[in-house]
Amino acid sequence: MQPFPDSLTHLMRHVLKQHRREVDRLIHEYEVYPGQPPVLFRLCEQDGLSQRELAQRVRLTPATLTVMLTRMEKTGLVERRPDDRDQRISRVYMTAKGRAALDAVGGAIRSVEQRAFAGFLPEEQLLLRRLLMQMQHNLDTPDSLADE
């Protein structure tokens, strides 16, 4: 059954799709494709993660991440190098092009966020943040605990 067009679930899904589509449009010229920004953000936090660590942090299967990293290597955003101590481990590093692209991604996200929140009071933004965090907590909590 389709949710009603005026349901909160439908509205949230539509807003998130619009947000992602707009960010993807703005970052495409930097050869950053959908799904890749979280990889860049994690490498910015800690460059040189193993592929396994990176897959866990971006919540992707190792196989999916491998395909993504191959594409990102081809566009020059990242490079993989063997670990100094264990040649079986491949570490992922952001390139200079990746860092420049990350700056563009951050700018695109800020730009879309400014547009999305135009006309909102700071208090309204804080309230929305609190409500979304509560929703996230509710959904992260197993059903058996939520009923107590």
Side-chain angles (χ1 to χ4, degrees):
M1 179 173 133
Q2 286 272 26
F4 295 102
D6 60 345
S7 75
L8 289 174
T9 299
H10 176 79
L11 187 58
M12 284 190 308
R13 191 172 135 242
H14 185 71
V15 168
L16 289 174
K17 281 175 73 173
Q18 282 182 289
H19 183 279
R20 182 171 178 171
R21 189 174 28 244
E22 189 62 16
V23 169
D24 290 345
R25 183 185 67 77
L26 293 172
I27 65 176
H28 184 76
E29 71 182 270
Y30 298 95
E31 296 185 279
V32 179
Y33 299 99
Q36 294 178 352
V39 172
L40 294 175
F41 285 120
R42 292 306 150 265
L43 290 174
C44 179
E45 291 170 357
Q46 185 177 351
D47 210 15
L49 290 169
S50 72
Q51 281 191 222
R52 177 175 298 204
E53 293 166 331
L54 187 55
Q56 289 171 341
R57 291 192 188 184
V58 295
R59 297 181 182 185
L60 292 174
T61 64
T64 300
L65 180 66
T66 297
V67 171
M68 186 179 288
L69 291 176
T70 298
R71 185 176 192 186
M72 293 175 80
E73 271 187 315
K74 286 180 183 175
T75 57
L77 298 172
V78 300
E79 65 180 5
R80 288 181 274 196
R81 294 183 235 148
D83 184 86
D84 292 339
R85 287 177 243 125
D86 187 343
Q87 299 296 305
R88 297 170 297 174
I89 296 174
S90 183
R91 299 215 168 262
V92 184
Y93 296 88
M94 201 173 351
T95 63
K97 180 178 177 180
R99 287 184 222 305
L102 181 63
D103 288 342
V105 169
I109 290 171
R110 283 188 296 279
S111 171
V112 173
E113 188 170 304
Q114 284 177 340
R115 283 183 45 213
F117 286 105
F120 279 69
L121 296 172
E123 300 81 24
E124 293 170 324
Q125 290 181 44
L126 285 172
L127 176 59
L128 179 58
R129 178 182 173 82
R130 189 188 68 71
L131 294 171
L132 290 171
M133 288 173 69
Q134 180 64 50
M135 289 173 68
Q136 182 178 20
H137 172 76
N138 292 348
L139 294 172
D140 284 344
T141 303
D143 284 343
S144 60
L145 295 177
D147 294 335
E148 293 177 0

